[in-house]
Amino acid sequence: MRFGGILAALCVVAVAPTAAAATPSYTPRSDSEVLERLAVPRLAGAATLRELREHWTAQPRSVPAALAYARAALELSRREEDPRYLGYAEAALAPWWDRPVAPPEIMLLRASMRLSRMDHANALRDLQSLIDSPAPEGHAARITRAAVRLSQGDPVASLADCTAASAYVSRLAAVTCTSAAKGLAGDAASGYAELDEALVGSAGAPLAMELWARGVAAELAQRLGRPPDARRHFEDATRRMAAADATDPGLLASYADFLLDQREPKRVQTLLAPYPRQDTLLLRLTLAERALGLAGDTAAAAAAEERTRYLTLRFDEMRQRGDRTHLREQALFELSVRGNAANALQLLRQSWANQREPIDARLYLRAAVAAKQPEAAQPVIDWLRSAGLKDVRLQPELATVLKQAPSR
Amino acid sequence: MIRILLLLLLAWHGPASAHKASTSYLQLSVHGEAVTGRWDVALRDLDYALGLDTDGDTLLTWGEVRHQQSRIAAYALRRLTLRADQDDCRLLVEGLQIADHSDGRYASLTIKGKCPHEPVSLGLHYELLFDVDAQHRGLLNLDFRGSHSALLAPEERTVRFNAAGASGFSVFTQYFRAGVSHLWTGWDHMLFLAGLFLPAVVRRRAGTWQPASSLKVALIDTSIMVTAFTLAHALTLSLAATGLFSPPVRWVESGVAASVLFAGLNNLIPMVYRHLFWLAAAFGLVHGAAIAGALIELGLPAGDRVWALLAFNLGVEAAQLAVLLVVIPPSFICRRSRYYRWLVVIPGALIITVVGALWLVQRAFDVDFAFARF
């Protein structure tokens, strides 16, 4: 039935590709017609989102009530990849949102929401003031900042934060943090070895911790050109995820990217079929179905075409909303699905200021080669040199770019 | 501790696109005074804000939505304001249908409305859902002297559409029209002028009412008064509209009421009857400061401020002179009749005096007389 709704939505998309203006309105035939199935999100704790929200509505300026509701909503936004929950969490923090100084727990949560909105400047300001404060949230702020620095392609700053925080977090968290930083600075081999060893010794780690560690391990293994190791970590992670009935869309997307690299689109299809409502995953599913379609699977080809139309509309809607959190995904879509390398390059230019992970570098290089603008990749080459990143996946495009546009 | 920490780390692990964030689609057309439009709001959002699922079975049916049309309409309309210049337009939800968008079904509200007058500048204030979902956005498509679009967000709740970006000539005509319509709709302005005009064809001389000697004299006299008024009016209006001078609103409004009272009273018990243009000029200064508020609401186009101000003042002046041309000649013909004095001048002056007095009390002491609201 849920799938029926999606099919219906896809049909509408097919006739009305230009967003709202052209969407026809109608009167349903009968009162009993079901228009919407309302989500009843499950939370880890005993309370439901509705209960936490009622508690907050009754006393919107109470820090504990706002925090409980905002944390629950944020957890849902991550698990469901649904930005509405992020909006609920943000609304709960509204009384403190623009205050330079707020209770430390609020500031920590606010920083993480600002990161979700790609507002790195304000997030880093919040984290800095927590680190400078005597509040215990300072340690969490430091490890969060380590991860931000990493995503911004600054392994040195990231490593400094990991080291400073390591005494206050679990061994697995500390090793994951430092290994990720080392890996970005060109020392993936020792980073991977340490992490692999730490993982062996930390059976029973909290789910989220283990998923994070396995994701980093798999990424480092790929950088080193060791697909079997990467596969092992991904398989362990998805097994653990399935056992806990949890979803980590980020990890699933990385796994799908790996499988696509390994030319295993059929496995991607199986892996992602249960998540048609999550656009990052839907994009990977579309890539897999296109590959299957090229290999002669006509049903997959038709599905990919349908999904492409749907994603085009989605990206268009996000652009209209002034939403800039999806630039990398949109670049991947433009490059790999629509074959529009120039558009992809344009989007990557915009996202590069805040997002410099190996996946961004690789996309950037691919787009520059495909658009026949090797000189456009200069920022990536400069960054690779300064960070010291070594990644076998970057080699083919990097060689092409360097050959075509000898660096200054 | 560790749990929270990890939650944080993973919370931004995948910031990329996902489900669609909450968005409403608002299409409005404003032609003359009439407003028509359509507003699509996700059922999921309306349920989150209003609790539409009355039987709590997590299935939202057409029956549940349809029966709550008035709740939905009241909720939505309280969060949308459309202003024609400085006056609110009246909006109604005339119908409720369903529309299928990419992320689910939406309530599609048919909007009908009426503005108090044809707007020169249109302001829109949007508050929907921001209190429950800070990521909500309103996408506005507006047909108002051309098509416009805007994105409404918690930090961008108000948008205004006016002559900005238009050519110098169209800025001029728009603000000229605003000046004219200000006179037609500004009751206090009209009454004050009436107070000045009424005795234009009769004169108080040596304690008695004397008919004016010629139409030419009557027209020239009143034109001088009106022009003196406009010049003074232009001076304070320009100073206030450019922000160089901002007197307290209550004082200015009370001053305008006092001027109306005085103009009326002066016809009953003449206090000033020579060189009336000085009086007109003095009150012009007060009226100018009062109108500045209206003009600030309209907004002055950045590059064409002088142009717009001049056009607005010329519009006011032209409208005043037009009123004179229509009113003075018939009054002139009737001026010798005693009925003119007893049926027009004296009752007119009485009305003006009473209204001026009521306004003065209302504005100076902040009392609301429902019957004197204009």
Side-chain angles (χ1 to χ4, degrees):
Chain A
M1 196 58 217
R2 180 170 163 187
F3 193 57
I6 291 155
L7 276 184
L10 288 173
C11 293
V12 171
V13 170
V15 295
T18 52
T23 312
S25 61
Y26 60 92
T27 304
R29 282 205 202 92
S30 91
D31 274 2
S32 57
E33 190 171 330
V34 174
L35 300 176
E36 195 70 68
R37 279 152 203 281
L38 302 166
V40 189
R42 285 175 302 110
L43 284 172
T48 65
L49 186 68
R50 168 183 282 216
E51 285 160 1
L52 293 171
R53 180 187 173 200
E54 278 164 6
H55 194 55
W56 165 68
T57 316
Q59 37 182 340
R61 297 194 158 262
S62 142
V63 172
L67 272 176
Y69 175 52
R71 277 188 188 137
L74 196 61
E75 185 192 327
L76 287 170
S77 87
R78 180 186 70 77
R79 204 171 64 204
E80 309 275 323
E81 272 210 340
D82 186 338
R84 273 188 173 90
Y85 292 116
L86 186 61
Y88 301 162
E90 207 179 307
L93 298 196
W96 302 276
W97 192 261
D98 291 317
R99 289 200 202 160
V101 179
E105 289 170 295
I106 298 258
M107 276 178 77
L108 193 56
L109 208 57
R110 182 171 81 181
S112 119
M113 287 183 211
R114 286 180 160 156
L115 290 171
S116 302
R117 290 172 25 144
M118 293 287 188
D119 179 5
H120 285 65
N122 282 314
L124 286 171
R125 202 167 301 139
D126 283 346
L127 294 174
Q128 183 67 59
S129 58
L130 283 170
I131 291 167
D132 293 344
S133 80
E137 281 76 12
H139 307 310
R142 216 181 255 287
I143 211 150
T144 307
R145 192 173 68 180
V148 179
R149 300 291 199 206
L150 198 69
S151 75
Q152 288 186 316
D154 186 347
V156 178
S158 180
L159 193 58
D161 278 332
C162 293
T163 311
S166 61
Y168 305 94
V169 296
S170 73
R171 185 173 129 69
L172 185 57
V175 173
T176 308
C177 191
T178 47
S179 297
K182 282 184 186 170
L184 198 64
D187 193 8
S190 80
Y192 177 77
E194 284 163 28
L195 184 52
D196 199 34
E197 191 205 315
L199 268 165
V200 172
S202 49
L207 174 70
M209 178 66 245
E210 186 177 337
L211 296 185
W212 175 35
R214 296 231 178 252
V216 170
E219 168 65 23
L220 294 178
Q222 289 180 78
R223 250 176 247 172
L224 292 165
R226 290 158 60 176
D229 287 324
R231 189 185 301 272
R232 178 166 58 84
H233 288 294
F234 278 130
E235 281 173 356
D236 283 353
T238 42
R239 229 186 334 263
R240 179 98 208 260
M241 208 170 71
D245 196 17
T247 310
D248 183 336
L251 185 91
L252 284 170
S254 308
Y255 189 15
D257 285 341
F258 167 77
L259 291 172
L260 287 167
D261 273 349
Q262 301 300 311
R263 303 187 193 285
E264 297 175 40
K266 196 78 201 163
R267 295 191 68 146
V268 175
Q269 204 182 21
T270 321
L271 180 72
L272 299 184
Y275 310 102
R277 289 177 78 113
Q278 306 193 358
D279 290 355
T280 42
L281 302 183
L282 194 63
L283 174 56
R284 271 79 185 179
L285 185 55
T286 309
L287 289 171
E289 283 168 345
R290 274 172 60 95
L292 291 169
L294 289 176
D297 181 343
T298 51
E305 209 165 296
E306 208 63 84
R307 295 191 207 284
T308 301
R309 254 197 293 268
Y310 177 76
L311 284 167
T312 306
L313 179 72
R314 268 308 178 56
F315 284 122
D316 201 42
E317 285 167 346
M318 282 185 261
R319 184 188 51 75
Q320 287 184 343
R321 277 178 51 95
D323 190 338
R324 296 173 53 82
T325 59
H326 59 285
L327 295 172
R328 175 208 284 167
E329 302 302 306
Q330 196 178 356
L332 174 60
F333 179 67
E334 288 290 333
L335 182 66
S336 302
V337 179
R338 302 184 77 188
N340 196 334
N343 275 2
L345 201 53
Q346 189 57 39
L347 292 161
L348 289 162
R349 272 197 197 103
Q350 295 172 44
S351 73
W352 186 248
N354 272 330
Q355 274 188 322
R356 296 181 183 181
E357 293 180 63
I359 182 179
D360 299 291
R362 190 174 173 205
L363 259 177
Y364 210 137
L365 291 172
R366 280 178 53 203
V369 170
K372 300 200 173 23
Q373 298 178 41
E375 69 288 351
Q378 196 59 46
V380 181
I381 292 164
D382 293 344
W383 172 71
L384 286 174
R385 288 223 172 99
S386 73
L389 173 67
K390 291 190 187 71
D391 187 334
V392 294
R393 294 169 301 177
L394 298 179
Q395 288 314 317
E397 278 85 9
L398 197 56
T400 314
V401 164
L402 289 175
K403 196 166 65 202
Q404 287 175 3
S407 182
R408 281 168 275 162
Chain B
M1 183 63 207
I2 283 287
R3 232 194 119 261
I4 294 167
L5 191 154
L6 288 170
L7 179 74
L8 281 167
L9 279 171
L10 296 169
W12 62 275
H13 187 247
S17 64
H19 286 256
K20 188 175 155 193
S22 166
T23 311
S24 94
Y25 299 92
L26 177 59
Q27 290 169 260
L28 289 174
S29 303
V30 180
H31 292 295
E33 296 170 358
V35 183
T36 51
R38 175 178 153 184
W39 194 3
D40 287 9
V41 185
L43 287 176
R44 190 183 152 186
D45 290 336
L46 286 172
D47 175 72
Y48 202 73
L50 285 172
L52 297 181
D53 181 23
T54 38
D55 59 7
D57 65 353
T58 76
L59 299 178
L60 203 53
T61 62
W62 170 233
E64 283 171 322
V65 173
R66 191 171 64 83
H67 287 126
Q68 297 182 82
Q69 175 174 342
S70 57
R71 266 184 87 205
I72 295 172
Y75 177 80
L77 290 180
R78 262 204 310 280
R79 286 158 178 81
L80 177 68
T81 316
L82 194 63
R83 303 191 104 193
D85 309 322
Q86 68 274 36
D87 305 310
D88 286 2
C89 304
R90 239 164 63 84
L91 297 179
L92 288 171
V93 167
E94 268 214 329
L96 168 66
Q97 286 191 308
I98 297 298
D100 296 351
H101 288 262
S102 65
D103 63 332
R105 296 223 162 84
Y106 282 52
S108 183
L109 309 173
T110 311
I111 307 274
K112 273 260 154 49
K114 193 171 180 304
C115 294
H117 55 87
E118 181 177 357
V120 173
S121 122
L122 200 63
L124 184 138
H125 186 74
Y126 181 100
E127 287 281 347
L128 191 78
L129 290 165
F130 292 150
D131 53 339
V132 294
D133 183 347
Q135 293 279 321
H136 174 78
R137 299 288 181 269
L139 283 181
L140 169 70
N141 270 303
L142 173 69
D143 178 15
F144 168 65
R145 301 168 190 228
S147 62
H148 313 264
S149 61
L151 179 68
L152 297 145
E155 57 282 355
E156 192 72 43
R157 298 176 193 225
T158 305
V159 283
R160 182 174 295 286
F161 302 94
N162 56 18
S167 70
F169 179 73
S170 97
V171 167
F172 190 89
T173 51
Q174 288 204 36
Y175 280 80
F176 185 86
R177 282 174 55 177
V180 172
S181 86
H182 167 77
L183 189 83
W184 293 130
T185 52
W187 280 95
D188 46 9
H189 198 141
M190 277 294 223
L191 276 184
F192 177 72
L193 288 176
L196 287 179
F197 289 168
L198 275 176
V201 290
V202 285
R203 280 300 162 76
R204 189 86 181 172
R205 272 205 191 103
T208 57
W209 294 99
Q210 305 279 327
S213 52
S214 75
L215 178 59
K216 194 173 149 197
V217 170
L219 277 177
I220 289 174
D221 271 11
T222 43
S223 301
I224 289 174
M225 275 193 318
V226 166
T227 306
F229 180 82
T230 307
L231 286 178
H233 173 273
L235 178 71
T236 42
L237 172 58
S238 309
L239 286 176
T242 49
L244 292 172
F245 164 67
S246 53
V249 175
R250 190 157 158 189
W251 288 30
V252 169
E253 290 291 320
S254 305
V256 170
S259 73
V260 173
L261 172 63
F262 186 85
L265 216 52
N266 197 39
N267 291 329
L268 298 172
I269 315 156
M271 293 165 278
V272 182
Y273 43 87
R274 243 182 264 155
H275 304 304
L276 272 175
F277 64 90
W278 282 114
L279 184 67
F283 285 125
L285 291 175
V286 179
H287 282 240
I291 300 175
L295 198 60
I296 288 165
E297 274 280 313
L298 275 180
L300 285 175
D304 295 303
R305 283 181 147 203
V306 177
W307 229 178
L309 270 172
L310 180 69
F312 188 83
N313 281 300
L314 286 176
V316 173
E317 175 77 13
Q320 290 177 150
L321 292 175
V323 174
L324 284 193
L325 278 174
V326 174
V327 175
I328 298 295
S331 323
F332 183 80
I333 294 165
C334 306
R335 74 194 187 286
R336 287 176 201 282
S337 152
R338 78 166 94 173
Y339 299 115
Y340 179 71
R341 199 177 314 148
W342 289 108
L343 292 181
V344 180
V345 177
I346 300 209
L350 269 173
I351 292 172
I352 294 167
T353 310
V354 170
V355 173
L358 283 175
W359 274 342
L360 182 58
V361 175
Q362 189 172 321
R363 292 172 185 183
F365 304 104
D366 210 11
V367 192
D368 189 12
F369 301 121
F371 53 87
R373 248 187 245 147
F374 291 107

